[in-house]
Amino acid sequence: MAILKGRTTCPAKINLHLAVGEPYIEKHSGRSFHRICTLMQGVYFQGVRLNEDKDQLEWEEQGGDLLELELSPERVQSRDEVQLTLEAQPAPCPTEDNLVCRAAKAYVERLDCRFWPQRMHFSLKKRIPQEAGLGGGSANAAITLKLLNRLLPPYCGSPALSVDTMSELAAGLGSDVPFFLRDFGSFPGSLAWCLGRGEQVVSLSERLVEQWQELQSQYRLWLVKPRGISCPTGEMYRRLDSRPRRAELDHLMLERQLSGLMAEGLSENSPLVRFLHNDFSLAVRALAGRECPGAGETGAGETGDIEQEKQTAEKYQDFRVLATLPQYLYSLAASWAAMSGSGSSFFVWFPAGLSQMEILKGLTAFPHPLEIFAGQSCSVTTGQYHLE
Ligand SMILES: C[C@@](CO)(OP(=O)(O)O)[C@H](O)COP(=O)(O)OP(=O)(O)OC[C@H]1O[C@@H](n2ccc(N)nc2=O)[C@H](O)[C@@H]1O
Ligand SMILES: Nc1ncnc2c1ncn2[C@@H]1O[C@H](COP(=O)(O)OP(=O)(O)O)[C@@H](O)[C@H]1O
């Protein structure tokens, strides 16, 4: 048998709306989560920068993270003998913690096979910024599951895992992972409600999806990430708990209101932009607005440790950048600018007719350096698989 290879691109996501409820303990895992109601959209993007000498835009390749899987022709009898390797560039964390390896292990545990490939090698080229609220690690995990379910069962002559088992595996790997597993068919831009802790993916009405597609086509999507500022998800959820909140988690109620709000388009004060919000950015604004945050409020603890206090002060500076960025983006004629997930990146829609060069020049002039990407809504279902 020849080496079996599969290659695919992992998209990112943005949260168009993100309401966070109270924390709770999940019964079967004993872990603490928050109930949420979020509207997620799949996106591809393309790095872009300004070449000042030539006064030109320079574009990187379009897409997201690139993931490849190679199955060796040599076989072994037991799953314990399978050699799983990963080459990740740049490596976001130790190999065994990488969601690609964790997803592959979880998948191999579940599949019932009489023989296995001796070697399973993944290579991952990371392009999605990390700890940026773009779900890159979650996308990697979901796409790993999909790749394996496409390649391994025919290799081993066993039936593929069912949609339900795949969803269960995905939810075990992370709350955002099931969204990237979802089959959105030919719809050119995955859009769904994610409920519970985020693992319950619920479709929107077809009419609303069409309305949003129509509206979106009048604008151009950009993504920006303040360089060097990242927001670890768990820490950001903990920060929210210190603030009193009332979150509306009923997606049907939200959906009923959304349709009517789309008619007036996107602008800083349009009904749609005022209605959709992200509880994390409210928390960021509240923290950044304080004169001098106490260590307890910033999550650093009250140890009197000088190093820790320094880190706390730096974090406070980061929040100021995140809190001031939307207003700056609106001053560049953005139609909608908002933080994605728990931060630190922002999605920005500009009117489609606006010059890309002018937008880029404006973004480049923000006092804190930004990583800048041109975005595009995409289906999270894409992928190419081939035999070599
Ligand atoms: C905030 C969101 C919004 O889409 O995205 P990111 O900003 O991370 O991209 C998600 O809820 C992130 O989901 P995900 O990144 O999969 O988180 P998980 O791995 O499941 O959990 C990481 C940690 O975040 C906290 N967590 C996560 C989800 C949730 N609903 N409540 C939580 O309290 C828990 O402390 C958990 O230990
Ligand atoms: N393949 C992966 N890509 C990115 N991060 C990963 C991956 N595997 C594990 N991680 C861990 O997950 C954490 C958050 O991942 P990421 O998806 O970048 O954040 P976010 O959900 O905020 O967009 C990282 O800090 C990293 O340690």
Side-chain angles (χ1 to χ4, degrees), residues 55-262:
D55 204 28
Q56 271 178 4
L57 303 186
E58 286 182 349
W59 299 90
E60 289 170 5
E61 203 183 326
Q62 196 190 39
D65 292 348
L66 299 175
L67 183 68
E68 270 187 25
L69 165 63
E70 226 178 88
L71 306 180
S72 73
E74 298 84 17
R75 297 167 175 185
V76 289
Q77 301 299 317
S78 140
R79 55 167 66 86
D80 299 335
E81 293 172 73
V82 177
Q83 294 164 21
L84 178 65
T85 52
L86 165 72
E87 189 189 326
Q89 273 188 340
C93 54
T95 305
E96 65 275 17
D97 297 337
N98 196 300
L99 279 155
V100 170
C101 288
R102 290 176 47 209
K105 281 191 186 134
Y107 183 90
V108 164
E109 281 301 313
R110 276 301 181 94
L111 194 72
D112 201 10
C113 285
R114 278 183 296 112
F115 57 84
W116 297 85
Q118 187 181 47
R119 286 184 308 281
M120 230 186 244
H121 179 71
F122 287 94
S123 64
L124 174 68
K125 188 164 173 223
K126 288 291 302 175
R127 298 201 311 214
I128 303 172
Q130 287 159 48
E131 295 187 338
L134 296 173
S138 308
N140 294 163
I143 302 297
T144 300
L145 294 177
K146 280 192 197 181
L147 256 180
L148 283 167
N149 212 28
R150 211 46 192 263
L151 298 193
L152 254 187
Y155 178 105
C156 308
S158 50
L161 294 184
S162 67
V163 172
D164 285 352
T165 307
M166 291 282 278
S167 302
E168 188 197 320
L169 287 179
L173 290 160
S175 309
D176 272 351
V177 182
F179 170 76
F180 290 101
L181 201 64
R182 176 88 167 194
D183 189 347
F184 287 88
S186 59
F187 170 59
S190 313
L191 189 67
W193 294 108
C194 296
L195 312 172
R197 65 175 157 95
E199 89 288 18
Q200 296 163 24
V201 186
V202 176
S203 304
L204 271 77
S205 75
E206 216 165 290
R207 198 178 110 71
L208 198 59
V209 172
E210 278 168 15
Q211 261 185 302
W212 174 236
Q213 284 298 100
E214 165 62 27
L215 180 60
Q216 237 190 117
S217 68
Q218 300 163 36
Y219 303 88
R220 206 189 288 269
L221 174 64
W222 293 68
L223 300 170
V224 293
K225 177 184 177 288
R227 204 174 283 283
I229 300 182
S230 54
C231 295
T233 303
E235 192 182 311
M236 293 302 286
Y237 271 109
R238 282 193 294 280
R239 279 177 206 282
L240 273 185
D241 290 339
S242 59
R243 326 208 65 79
R245 279 169 297 112
R246 241 198 97 252
E248 176 51 73
L249 303 180
D250 180 351
H251 70 288
L252 291 175
M253 210 276 277
L254 295 170
E255 191 162 327
R256 273 195 296 278
Q257 298 190 42
L258 270 178
S259 179
L261 299 175
M262 287 205 203

Side-chain angles (χ1 to χ4, degrees), residues 13 15 31-34 133 135 174-176 197 233-234 237 341-342:
K13 60 83 182 170
N15 302 79
R31 292 179 60 194
S32 168
F33 289 102
H34 292 72
S175 309
D176 272 351
R197 65 175 157 95
T233 303
Y237 271 109
S342 56

